[in-house]
């Protein structure tokens, strides 16, 4: 199936807002032969089900997120058709505010479970209906979401980032002030 055929089928099925809510429908673009379909959070499951059942994307490859600052968190899933040999990226942007949330994809792709746990832990996206959003990589007492751009690296409180100074600045003024990690200032950090 060519990217153009995929786009035609997606537009026909999801273009008018398949979720029935106030959706802007699906937006498609092609890059390097891979079609990216951006849908509203309300159309997330419909787009995944359409990819699996109508586009024959039976292989779930990965799911993660990208912190797009003010736009929110873009959750991206890559699926592949073993028979048709075509790739598809599904993308939905959720607000980065209090509780970014999407429904779980585990009912459509069982392989999404681990990826959703990791994305929940690293970015703070809640996948409602997930069977077990338990910590996967970080210790239980860890606070924050380390892959968000607003997460302060504790090591930078102790030692300034080497690239923090403007090359043309003789006075050595840092671009941004030092920020404390979310848990405050650990004993002795940043006092050197």
């Amino acid at each position: 199936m060519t990217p153009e055929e995929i786009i035609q089928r997606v537009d026909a099925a999801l273009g008018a807002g398949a979720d029935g809510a106030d959706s802007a429908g699906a937006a498609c673009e092609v890059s390097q032969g891979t079609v990216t379909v951006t849908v509203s959070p309300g159309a997330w499951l419909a787009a995944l089900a359409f990819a699996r059942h109508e586009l024959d994307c039976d292989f779930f490859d990965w799911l993660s997120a990208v912190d797009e600052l003010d736009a929110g968190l873009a959750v991206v899933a890559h699926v592949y058709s073993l028979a048709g040999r075509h790739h598809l990226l599904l993308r939905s942007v959720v607000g980065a505010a209090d509780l970014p949330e999407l429904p779980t994809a585990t009912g459509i792709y069982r392989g999404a479970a681990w990826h959703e746990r990791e994305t929940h832990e690293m970015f703070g996206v809640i996948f409602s209906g997930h069977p077990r959003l338990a910590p996967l990589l970080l210790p239980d007492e860890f606070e924050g979401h380390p892959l968000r751009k607003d997460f302060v690296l504790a090591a930078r409180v102790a030692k300034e980032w080497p690239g923090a100074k403007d090359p043309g600045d003789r006075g050595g003024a840092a671009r941004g002030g030092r920020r404390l990690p979310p848990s405050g200032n650990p004993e002795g950090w940043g006092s050197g």
Side-chain angles (χ1 to χ4, degrees), residues 6 9-10 13-14 45-56:
I6 294 172
R9 292 180 72 180
V10 167
L14 302 172
L45 288 182
L48 286 166
F50 180 79
R52 172 137 190 159
H53 303 299
E54 301 301 322
L55 298 178
D56 197 29

Side-chain angles (χ1 to χ4, degrees), residues 11-121:
D11 281 344
L14 302 172
D19 62 338
D22 51 341
S23 166
C28 301
E29 64 181 70
V30 180
S31 177
Q32 304 295 321
T34 299
V35 177
T36 301
V37 179
T38 302
V39 296
S40 69
W44 178 246
L45 288 182
L48 286 166
F50 180 79
R52 172 137 190 159
H53 303 299
E54 301 301 322
L55 298 178
D56 197 29
C57 293
D58 49 356
F59 180 74
F60 182 89
D61 192 13
W62 54 263
L63 178 141
S64 190
V66 177
D67 189 345
E68 296 185 350
L69 295 174
D70 294 337
L73 297 169
V75 177
V76 182
H78 178 257
V79 293
Y80 180 73
S81 172
L82 296 170
R85 299 180 158 265
H86 54 268
H87 300 264
L88 184 66
L89 284 173
L90 295 167
R91 178 180 178 274
S92 186
V93 180
V94 293
D98 300 327
L99 299 172
E101 187 172 348
L102 273 179
T104 185
T106 56
I108 300 166
Y109 292 104
R110 287 188 347 191
W114 185 91
H115 300 271
E116 288 180 350
R117 284 177 62 191
E118 180 185 34
T119 303
H120 169 69
E121 190 170 19

Side-chain angles (χ1 to χ4, degrees), residues 176-187:
R178 285 188 172 191
R179 298 185 334 190
L180 294 177
S183 60
N185 188 8
E187 291 181 22

Side-chain angles (χ1 to χ4, degrees), residues 10 45 82 88 100 106 120 123 125 131-132 150 159 163 165 191:
V10 167
L45 288 182
L82 296 170
L88 184 66
T106 56
H120 169 69
F123 290 95
V125 177
R132 186 172 175 258
D150 62 355
K159 181 180 177 186
K165 300 189 186 317
S191 59

